[in-house]
Amino acid sequence: MDRLAWLPPHPDLAGAISAARKAQDPVERLAAGARLAGYRRDFVATERLDRVVMSCLDVVGDDQLTSLGLRRLRIAVLASHTVDHLAPAIRVAGLHRGLALELHIGPYGLYRQSLLGDDPALTSFAPHFVLLALDACDLAFDLSLDASETDVANAVDARLDQLRVLWRRAKECLGAQVVQQTLIPHTPPLFGSYEALVPAAPYSLTERLNTAIRVAAKQDGVLLLDLAWYVAREGITAQLVDPVRWHHAKQLVSPAFAPIYGDVVARIIAAGVGLSRKCLVLDLDNTLWGGVVGDDGIDGIRLGQGSAEGEAFLAFQRYVAQLGRRGIILAVCSKNDPAVAEAAFKGHPEMVLRHEEMADFVANWDDKATNVRSIARRLEIGLDSIVFVDDNPAERDIIRRELPMVAVPELPDDVAHYSARLAQAGYFEATVFTQDDTTRGRSYALNAVRRTELERATDLDGYLQSLSMIMTAAQISPADLARTTQLINKTNQFNLTTR
């Protein structure tokens, strides 16, 4: 797969990094580094960029970081495999996600001793997050291939209990949020397609332990770095694990894959402190359907059954609709005649997205940067909450230049890959999912209607009474805990201690 394919390429990244290195002011150098972190880069460029900014973090104050849109966090990485070569990728990816990350890399293979014993270096570092980056070899099972289902279940439970002890220790003694990495089954299968049907086969054991880790993490409030699921979904296990480097240096994650790994870590940490994006702003022509509705008419746009391209646009709309149902706010920003654009939503028989599902619908001939600002203002969200999707490279470049806080993923040439590219970018990373999330988009849409009515109202008391709103106060219950945590994380955006 392309490295960081959702980020735009830089015309001369090496030259830009060299120029940033020459800046004397550390704030200026850090700002340049954060800006360049938003471009596509390989392992070498990532390391060079990290050297530009790493020394700045010690001398730049928290107020200055805030002015750059960055939040300082401390991450302890405790691993059973070599991770030193991944530190630059994690730090640089953090800059792109709005984080100024300080890392503590624990001694190789001594993660148990660091958490269960007395590790002065770890204690004095006082991490906000502890990443347990473990591998399948370290947690291997001593079972014969013909072990029974009961023996396998008992062995998995025992391993899980050991991990839960480490999780509790990190929380109670360090006050840290734990991030658990799932295990990569990187040894060749013994039984081919029959592997999963042999309970004690290596691949089968690893999958069973990963499943148990996922369930336990949700129960214990541990964040997941589901590396196993990620590489399986992308089909890139062979690119992640280089057997030569594993045997020579115990590197589970190859240097070539480091920029991707760093970004996955950074997006989870960002989500853990409430910094995931929450609004998707969409272009219309050649983004949600093929063709230009103003020229081709409603019947002439390509959407739905009858052509491969039309079905691909339909699939992208379905993916967007699912994002809306999981709580992402949806909005439209299109250079179009408003009546024609709205008619396409209401009149095309295969349109999946509905006009009423859009929290804001902007179709005019103004520049899109101005319109995106207006959308953020009407929805009362920050520009750093927005992801802007447009098929036009020129429009994407304008938004990146005018509104650098807005995330603008690069799109592939074929709409069939739009959904996968948006998912790969990880801007909507979640750490929890509640029933309230499913109604968030609708709530923002209704709030927009209320604001419009308020602007028209002449009698404020009459307007408030017309809303017929009822507030009920109650104690927080176990069912409310996940949502309460989400709200606390939002408040913590203004709490520099993060405690």
Side-chain angles (χ1 to χ4, degrees):
M1 65 179 295
D2 292 337
R3 300 290 178 257
L4 307 176
W6 57 90
L7 297 179
H10 194 286
D12 181 16
L13 184 58
I17 293 174
S18 297
R21 184 189 296 275
K22 297 175 182 177
Q24 297 299 312
D25 181 7
V27 176
E28 181 183 343
R29 194 159 68 249
L30 185 58
R35 185 171 60 254
L36 293 175
Y39 288 96
R40 202 174 303 174
R41 49 196 153 68
D42 60 11
F43 176 73
V44 174
T46 299
E47 283 214 317
R48 290 189 63 217
L49 187 55
D50 180 60
R51 287 195 293 270
V52 170
V53 301
M54 189 171 63
S55 61
C56 302
L57 295 180
D58 295 332
V59 296
V60 174
D62 288 340
D63 289 343
Q64 293 169 309
L65 286 177
T66 301
S67 69
L68 297 176
L70 297 173
R71 177 175 177 172
R72 192 191 305 272
L73 288 175
R74 295 183 297 278
I75 316 298
V77 183
L78 307 181
S80 60
H81 51 89
T82 305
V83 295
D84 300 78
H85 65 297
L86 303 176
I90 295 172
R91 282 190 291 260
V92 172
L95 293 175
H96 178 56
R97 303 283 172 173
L99 302 172
L101 299 180
E102 299 176 10
L103 297 186
H104 167 83
I105 305 297
Y108 164 74
L110 299 182
Y111 62 93
R112 294 183 184 90
Q113 292 87 332
S114 292
L115 287 174
L116 300 178
D118 181 19
D119 186 343
L122 179 61
T123 303
S124 63
F125 183 68
H128 300 109
F129 289 81
V130 169
L131 168 59
L132 278 173
L134 310 183
D135 63 82
C137 290
D138 181 77
L139 294 180
F141 295 86
D142 185 18
L143 290 171
S144 62
L145 287 175
D146 60 350
S148 67
E149 284 276 1
T150 300
D151 290 340
V152 168
N154 290 337
V156 169
D157 288 344
R159 281 286 186 271
L160 186 61
D161 288 343
Q162 294 169 7
L163 287 177
R164 284 181 133 158
V165 169
L166 300 178
W167 297 350
R168 287 194 297 270
R169 184 76 175 178
K171 290 179 181 180
E172 294 169 1
C173 297
L174 299 174
Q177 171 68 61
V178 178
V179 181
Q180 177 65 56
Q181 178 176 299
T182 54
L183 313 176
I184 304 297
H186 57 88
T187 56
L190 296 175
F191 297 92
S193 296
Y194 197 73
E195 185 91 1
L197 302 180
V198 179
Y203 190 96
S204 183
L205 279 169
T206 302
E207 282 298 292
R208 286 169 184 248
L209 182 53
N210 278 339
T211 299
I213 287 172
R214 294 175 183 115
V215 174
K218 184 176 181 181
Q219 294 170 342
D220 293 9
V222 167
L223 302 183
L224 271 179
L225 195 174
D226 206 339
L227 195 60
W229 181 87
Y230 186 90
V231 298
R233 177 173 62 85
E234 301 292 341
I236 51 178
T237 302
Q239 297 180 44
L240 171 74
V241 182
D242 182 345
V244 175
R245 289 187 175 275
W246 171 257
H247 293 301
H248 277 275
K250 288 299 178 285
Q251 288 183 353
L252 175 70
V253 180
S254 68
F257 194 83
I260 295 282
Y261 181 88
D263 190 81
V264 174
V265 172
R267 70 179 64 165
I268 292 168
I269 299 298
V273 294
L275 294 183
S276 287
R277 308 278 172 159
K278 61 183 178 181
C279 178
L280 178 59
V281 177
L282 297 148
D283 175 47
L284 295 181
D285 294 327
N286 292 311
T287 299
L288 289 184
W289 56 67
V292 179
V293 68
D295 298 335
D296 304 327
I298 296 175
D299 296 334
I301 61 176
R302 299 180 295 282
L303 178 65
Q305 306 301 318
S307 72
E309 185 185 22
E311 291 185 14
F313 279 109
L314 189 66
F316 181 56
Q317 283 204 20
R318 285 175 177 151
Y319 181 73
V320 169
Q322 287 288 77
L323 286 175
R325 294 183 188 110
R326 62 144 278 197
I328 302 304
I329 308 161
L330 304 180
V332 163
C333 179
S334 171
K335 285 186 176 178
N336 243 310
D337 180 278
V340 173
E342 292 178 12
F345 267 76
K346 297 174 181 178
H348 196 284
E350 297 205 59
M351 190 74 63
V352 172
L353 295 169
R354 303 286 93 188
H355 186 280
E356 57 271 18
E357 293 176 318
M358 301 295 129
D360 204 357
F361 194 104
V362 178
N364 56 36
W365 301 105
D366 295 339
D367 69 276
K368 291 191 176 181
T370 297
N371 283 335
V372 170
R373 288 190 189 95
S374 299
I375 290 171
R377 184 173 61 253
R378 281 191 294 272
L379 296 180
E380 297 182 343
I381 60 176
L383 289 168
D384 58 358
S385 296
I386 292 175
V387 176
F388 175 80
V389 172
D390 195 312
D391 71 292
N392 189 331
E395 295 288 5
R396 295 198 298 265
D397 288 343
I398 290 172
I399 295 297
R400 290 187 187 113
R401 183 178 66 250
E402 298 295 323
L403 304 175
M405 304 79 74
V406 174
V408 186
E410 279 292 277
L411 292 183
D413 294 333
D414 196 317
V415 65
H417 300 297
Y418 279 13
S419 301
R421 179 62 56 82
L422 190 55
Q424 287 170 353
Y427 291 121
F428 301 122
E429 187 77 28
T431 58
V432 70
F433 179 63
T434 68
Q435 186 175 7
D436 284 346
D437 291 327
T438 64
T439 60
R440 182 183 295 124
R442 182 62 178 159
S443 297
Y444 274 87
L446 292 175
N447 286 341
V449 172
R450 293 188 189 104
R451 281 189 291 275
T452 300
E453 292 299 320
L454 178 60
E455 291 171 358
R456 297 173 180 169
T458 56
D459 176 12
L460 181 58
D461 289 339
Y463 163 74
L464 293 175
Q465 291 179 12
S466 71
L467 297 179
S468 301
M469 296 181 70
I470 299 173
M471 182 180 72
T472 302
Q475 292 284 343
I476 296 173
S477 69
D480 301 325
L481 194 56
R483 179 58 176 157
T484 303
T485 303
Q486 282 184 320
L487 295 174
I488 289 173
N489 278 339
K490 291 183 179 181
T491 303
N492 277 345
Q493 292 182 38
F494 308 99
N495 175 6
L496 296 180
T497 68
T498 74
R499 302 294 185 184

